[in-house]
Amino acid sequence: MSGNNYYDAVVIGFGKGGKTIANALGNAGRKVAMIEQSEKMYGGTCINVGCIPTKSLVHSAREASRGCKTGREAYAEAVKKKSVLVEKLRQKNYQKLESSPNVSVIQGKARFLSPHEAEIDSSEGKQTIYGEQFYINTGSSPFIPPIKGIKANPYVYLSETLLDLEELPARLVIIGGGRCSDE
Ligand SMILES: Cc1cc2nc3c(=O)[nH]c(=O)nc-3n(C[C@H](O)[C@H](O)[C@H](O)COP(=O)(O)OP(=O)(O)OC[C@H]3O[C@@H](n4cnc5c(N)ncnc54)[C@H](O)[C@@H]3O)c2cc1C
């Protein structure tokens, strides 16, 4: 099989594992398509909505506790700092893969049509691509517990949406609690 829409390897999901394998296969001379459903997720969970932004906020909170800014002011500044950092890392991740001569980054949500065919659905329409091999790196998503009314409630936040809150909430209720591994 050959053609513009044919790839030796199709990687679905631009997370840690996906970008690493796409880069390695591209460097080895394979024609690679990297599929990512969201432009805001180039680089995956860790840099966009996971490890990095949460640690940036923790670091800013520690710094603020030593300074003289009020909670609201310090929080707004911390969110801004976090967003600038995330944007920089996202662009760097995108550029690194996009500049690889053998890798094409395609934005859209993938689904299989057959073992060697995937449909990529984006705001610009649908396209079908063909792959000799597929690597699935679609990560995980937050679990929403079966509590009545939870999905319709605009004040219920997930780990991702909480990071976008620009104003410090006066009160925050946490339902359920895990334990830290070193406790
Ligand atoms: C709040 C939070 C804090 C965390 N902190 C830490 C930490 O401090 N240290 C640590 O080690 N880990 C941390 N983690 C975990 C870490 O972020 C994840 O384990 C890691 O990012 C998973 O990487 P991945 O490549 O498997 O998937 P992801 O990075 O989630 O990548 C999967 C990608 O696939 C895309 N995708 C899904 N379905 C499709 C589809 N059908 N078509 C196209 N694209 C699709 C998604 O949009 C996503 O970008 C944290 C996670 C969270 C949520």
Side-chain angles (χ1 to χ4, degrees):
M1 223 188 275
S2 63
N4 278 351
N5 281 355
Y6 171 82
Y7 296 89
D8 298 317
V10 177
V11 182
I12 305 175
F14 198 150
K16 277 184 187 181
K19 68 187 174 191
T20 308
I21 198 156
N23 201 31
L25 291 171
N27 286 342
R30 313 275 300 279
K31 188 181 171 195
V32 180
M34 159 58 80
I35 318 297
E36 171 52 53
Q37 63 185 356
S38 165
E39 282 169 342
K40 291 191 166 174
M41 288 297 283
Y42 293 139
T45 296
C46 190
I47 67 148
N48 290 293
V49 290
C51 335
I52 303 291
T54 52
K55 301 319 168 283
S56 167
L57 290 175
V58 167
H59 177 71
S60 293
R62 286 201 182 121
E63 278 195 328
S65 69
R66 290 192 288 268
C68 52
K69 290 220 163 117
T70 65
R72 271 168 188 268
E73 247 183 303
Y75 181 78
E77 226 169 73
V79 173
K80 225 180 252 169
K81 215 167 161 186
K82 177 268 306 177
S83 301
V84 170
L85 174 66
V86 166
E87 183 60 37
K88 244 189 224 164
L89 291 174
R90 184 188 302 146
Q91 274 181 22
K92 217 168 180 187
N93 270 264
Y94 177 78
Q95 278 156 7
K96 182 167 182 201
L97 223 47
E98 184 60 17
S99 63
S100 168
N102 295 319
V103 182
S104 305
V105 179
I106 302 173
Q107 188 265 313
K109 190 175 172 97
R111 75 178 181 104
F112 282 103
L113 298 174
S114 76
H116 287 287
E117 249 179 320
E119 180 186 79
I120 315 301
D121 191 357
S122 77
S123 55
E124 286 172 15
K126 292 179 182 177
Q127 61 171 307
T128 301
I129 62 169
Y130 303 88
E132 179 61 28
Q133 293 180 332
F134 285 85
Y135 295 83
I136 300 168
N137 179 232
T138 48
S140 55
S141 45
F143 168 72
I144 301 173
I147 297 174
K148 205 172 171 191
I150 196 168
K151 285 191 179 156
N153 189 330
Y155 301 108
V156 170
Y157 294 93
L158 304 175
S159 62
E160 295 164 15
T161 52
L162 191 60
L163 285 174
D164 284 335
L165 206 63
E166 285 175 0
E167 239 181 74
L168 183 67
R171 295 184 204 91
L172 187 68
V173 176
I174 297 173
I175 305 175
R179 278 166 63 94
C180 290
S181 55
D182 57 354
E183 275 185 300

